[in-house]
């Protein structure tokens, strides 16, 4: 069944829903710390005289975002004492992550990078750990708070809020650092963590379709209990928890998608590889070309984020109107090709028009691709194992790019900025080919689950071979239920 385009007014009304609006503020809370341990931090290090090779290694701080899968099962299944009873499972963990973010930023505000790089790295890691934990919960909160039909809109407002947080952590921090100091900038950012805390306190806990007690009836868990019935009680309890919280979420994904599961995981890992791996070198490029911090803040952080917000809104509308399959291909292609604009900027020198062109193309592509990809990942996620499965997907999404980004400073030092961005563009092309291939084999990109009111990630099998279905349209793609 081919996805039928919907009228624009119907597509726009979804943005008035309360869960959709809530994600605006949670997106801000998620976006605020990201640049503060990444590109804003690298700008601070560059401005302080730290060598470019060392700056590149600081992108590895972001690897905590990529390995959050390892503690996602705890966040998903363990209720925090005291505060967990008051706020509930999701909101209590969200608040804990925000406290870690605030504490880490306060620690950074009191340091001078020159001579204190280990301490800077330590507080950056604390901040990144809190931010990654918060992301685990926000992703689960988003999927559990709204039905499949509004997930793309929730992803869109999340991206808008996220980019507003980026503005504050990017342009805001640069403006404050230019006018006062980096210490004042990071202290101000720590105060803005209160936005997320207030949202946690005023919004309700989302419903959870299945509790751990229901998961305990999973056949794998029942079989384990039968086989270990002679073991001590604590061993059986630990084994049951491990199976229910870790093994079942992963096996559920492979059972639902069969042999396509590995291709999906590969696709998730490479979809954003080009823009993630280049991000650590963006601010050093601007500064090396002679742009002032105020120029960078105005063009890349304020104007650029407006472009990203526009791309995010456009992505949400296009998914609802035309379907997810073709938008995945468009997003992957746009993200890869816009790296050539940075190569052009590197060869063109200190040219404000070239900077504006590069930022316009890059941020529009990023906003669209981010919204589309969040919708795609949410469609793959079972609501029975929300946090754990989405953490697996989002960790894989950033891991290859973050790892490659750690060597970005070395590549720039050897080959220059223009060659680096050309190489990064080529890294994104396999994702385009895989997006096209998968879009012809995943019936969940058809949008049928939206129309029928069923979530693709629900336990009912969501995968069937394309050959078992009636022939598609000439583009071979479909719409989808929506789902950074």
């Amino acid at each position: 069944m081919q996805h039928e385009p919907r009228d624009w007014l119907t597509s726009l009304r979804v943005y008035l829903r309360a869960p959709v609006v809530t994600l605006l503020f949670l997106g801000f809370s998620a976006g605020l710390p990201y640049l503060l341990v990444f590109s804003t931090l690298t700008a601070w290090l560059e401005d302080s005289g730290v060598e470019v090779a060392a700056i590149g290694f600081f992108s590895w701080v972001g690897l905590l975002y990529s390995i959050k899968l390892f503690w996602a099962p705890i966040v998903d299944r363990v209720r925090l004492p005291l505060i967990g009873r008051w706020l509930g499972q999701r909101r209590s963990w969200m608040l804990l992550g925000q406290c870690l973010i605030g504490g880490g930023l306060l620690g950074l505000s009191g340091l001078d990078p020159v001579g204190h790089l280990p301490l800077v790295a330590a507080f950056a890691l604390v901040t990144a750990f809190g931010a990654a934990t918060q992301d685990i919960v926000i992703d689960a909160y988003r999927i559990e708070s709204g039905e499949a039909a509004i997930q793309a809109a929730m992803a869109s407002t999340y991206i808008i809020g996220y980019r507003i947080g980026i503005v504050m952590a990017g342009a805001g921090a640069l403006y404050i650092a230019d006018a006062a100091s980096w210490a004042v900038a990071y202290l101000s950012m720590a105060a803005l963590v209160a936005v997320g805390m207030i949202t946690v306190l005023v919004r309700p806990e989302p419903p959870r379709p299945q509790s751990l007690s229901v998961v305990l009836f999973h056949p794998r868990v029942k079989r384990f209990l039968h086989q270990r019935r002679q073991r001590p009680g604590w061993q059986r309890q630990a084994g049951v928890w491990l199976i229910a919280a870790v093994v079942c979420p992963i096996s559920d994904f492979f059972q639902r998608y069969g042999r396509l599961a590995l291709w999906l995981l590969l696709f998730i890992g490479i979809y954003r590889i080009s823009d993630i791996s280049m991000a650590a070198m963006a601010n050093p490029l601007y500064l090396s070309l002679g742009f002032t911090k105020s120029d960078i803040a105005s063009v890349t952080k304020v104007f650029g984020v407006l472009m990203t917000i526009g791309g995010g809104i456009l992505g949400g509308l296009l998914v609802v109107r035309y379907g997810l399959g073709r938008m995945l291909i468009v997003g992957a292609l746009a993200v890869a090709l816009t790296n050539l604009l940075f190569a052009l900027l590197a060869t063109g020198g200190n040219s404000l028009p070239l900077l504006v062109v590069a930022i316009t193309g890059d941020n529009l592509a990023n906003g669209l691709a981010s919204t589309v990809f969040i919708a795609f990942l949410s469609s793959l996620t079972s609501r029975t194992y929300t946090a754990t499965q989405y953490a697996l997907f989002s960790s894989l999404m950033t891991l290859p790019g973050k790892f490659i980004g750690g060597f970005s400073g070395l590549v720039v030092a050897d080959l220059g900025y223009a060659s680096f961005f050309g190489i990064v563009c080529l890294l994104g092309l396999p994702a385009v080919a895989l997006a096209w291939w998968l879009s012809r084999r995943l019936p969940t990109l058809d949008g049928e689950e939206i129309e029928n009111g069923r979530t693709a990630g629900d336990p009912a099998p969501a995968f069937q071979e394309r050959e078992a279905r009636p022939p598609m349209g000439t583009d071979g793609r479909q719409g989808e239920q929506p789902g950074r």
Side-chain angles (χ1 to χ4, degrees):
M1 169 178 154
Q2 187 71 24
H3 180 85
E4 293 295 331
R6 300 174 180 178
D7 66 88
W8 290 107
L9 184 59
T10 300
S11 301
L12 283 169
R13 282 183 185 141
V14 71
Y15 286 97
L16 301 178
R17 301 277 298 273
V20 177
V21 175
T22 299
L23 264 295
L24 180 70
F25 298 98
L26 293 182
F28 175 88
S29 184
L32 183 69
Y34 183 71
L35 288 188
L36 298 175
V37 295
F38 199 37
S39 61
T40 298
L41 181 60
T42 61
W44 182 12
L45 299 178
E46 169 76 15
D47 194 42
S48 300
V50 178
E51 294 183 358
V52 66
I55 294 174
F57 289 120
F58 263 80
S59 71
W60 283 345
V61 171
L63 285 175
L64 280 173
Y65 284 89
S66 303
I67 62 174
K68 59 189 177 185
L69 170 66
F70 292 107
W71 68 93
I74 297 175
V75 175
D76 204 6
R77 297 298 180 186
V78 175
R79 170 169 288 193
L80 292 173
L82 300 178
I83 191 174
R85 289 191 174 186
W86 173 40
L87 295 175
Q89 180 85 6
R90 299 307 185 204
R91 294 193 299 157
S92 59
W93 276 102
M94 214 181 299
L95 187 61
L96 175 62
Q98 291 160 353
C99 289
L100 291 174
I101 294 168
L105 294 178
L106 284 174
L108 285 170
S109 69
L111 294 174
D112 181 358
V114 178
H116 298 91
L117 279 182
L119 275 177
V120 171
F123 280 113
L125 286 170
V126 170
T127 305
F129 179 79
T133 301
Q134 178 187 231
D135 281 2
I136 293 171
V137 191
I138 291 178
D139 291 332
Y141 185 95
R142 185 189 69 250
I143 296 171
E144 294 170 357
S145 295
E147 64 273 18
I150 67 170
Q151 286 293 324
M154 294 175 75
S156 180
T157 54
Y158 173 86
I159 291 297
I160 294 172
Y162 193 95
R163 292 302 172 173
I164 294 174
I166 292 290
V167 169
M168 299 307 300
L174 288 171
Y175 280 133
I176 296 172
D178 211 17
S181 67
W182 285 106
V184 175
Y186 270 76
L187 189 61
S188 301
M189 298 302 106
L192 289 176
V193 177
V195 172
M197 294 179 171
I198 293 172
T199 305
V200 168
L201 296 176
V202 301
R203 289 297 297 159
E205 179 79 358
R208 302 197 63 188
Q210 277 191 288
S211 65
L212 182 58
S213 60
V214 177
V215 176
L216 291 179
F217 287 97
H218 190 283
R220 193 182 298 270
V221 176
K222 294 169 68 176
R223 184 166 59 252
F224 171 85
L225 289 173
H226 177 72
Q227 294 173 349
R228 303 295 194 279
R229 58 185 180 275
Q230 303 300 329
R231 297 290 182 88
W234 68 270
Q235 290 185 9
R236 299 174 69 203
Q237 291 175 3
V240 165
W241 189 93
L242 182 66
I243 293 172
V246 180
V247 177
C248 288
I250 297 175
S251 64
D252 167 81
F253 173 72
F254 281 91
Q255 288 169 0
R256 284 189 291 117
Y257 289 99
R259 61 180 177 271
L260 264 191
L262 290 177
W263 289 106
L264 286 168
L265 294 178
L266 175 63
F267 177 62
I268 290 168
I270 67 174
Y271 189 80
R272 300 283 308 279
I273 193 170
S274 59
D275 66 302
I276 293 176
S277 59
M278 61 76 75
M281 289 296 105
N283 274 332
L285 169 65
Y286 309 144
L287 291 169
S288 70
L289 293 175
F291 294 106
T292 66
K293 291 192 288 292
S294 294
D295 287 337
I296 297 170
S298 299
V299 178
T300 72
K301 307 305 180 184
V302 178
F303 173 75
V305 168
L306 291 176
M307 293 298 99
T308 305
I309 291 173
I313 296 173
L314 180 63
L317 290 174
L318 291 177
V319 167
V320 173
R321 183 168 172 81
Y322 295 113
L324 183 60
R326 68 193 69 179
M327 289 300 107
L328 279 174
I329 301 171
V330 170
L333 184 62
V335 164
L337 293 181
T338 50
N339 282 283
L340 297 178
L341 297 176
F342 287 95
L344 179 63
L345 176 64
T347 58
N350 190 326
S351 170
L352 196 59
L354 277 180
L355 179 61
V356 171
V357 169
I359 294 304
T360 299
D362 179 65
N363 288 36
L364 278 173
N366 267 293
L368 186 147
S370 296
T371 298
V372 170
F373 204 52
I374 289 175
F376 173 68
L377 296 183
S378 298
S379 76
L380 301 179
T381 304
S382 168
R383 294 200 177 198
T384 306
Y385 312 105
T386 316
T388 303
Q389 286 189 357
Y390 198 93
L392 168 65
F393 303 149
S394 58
S395 295
L396 286 174
M397 176 183 69
T398 59
L399 183 57
K402 290 291 186 184
F403 180 77
I404 293 173
F407 300 101
S408 58
L410 299 177
V411 176
V412 168
D414 289 341
L415 302 178
Y417 283 106
S419 297
F420 168 74
F421 287 109
I423 293 171
V424 170
C425 173
L426 295 177
L427 288 176
L429 297 183
V432 180
L434 196 52
W436 175 84
W437 185 80
L438 285 173
S439 69
R440 303 179 66 87
R441 285 162 176 79
L442 271 178
T444 53
L445 301 186
D446 197 346
E448 294 180 10
E449 282 77 10
I450 292 178
E451 300 299 331
N452 296 332
R454 181 169 65 81
T455 303
D458 283 345
F463 170 75
Q464 299 176 20
E465 280 295 336
R466 174 68 64 187
E467 291 76 8
R469 297 173 55 82
M472 306 279 304
T474 55
D475 66 354
R477 288 178 216 99
Q478 321 185 18
E480 107 97 336
Q481 67 238 296
R484 121 194 265 191

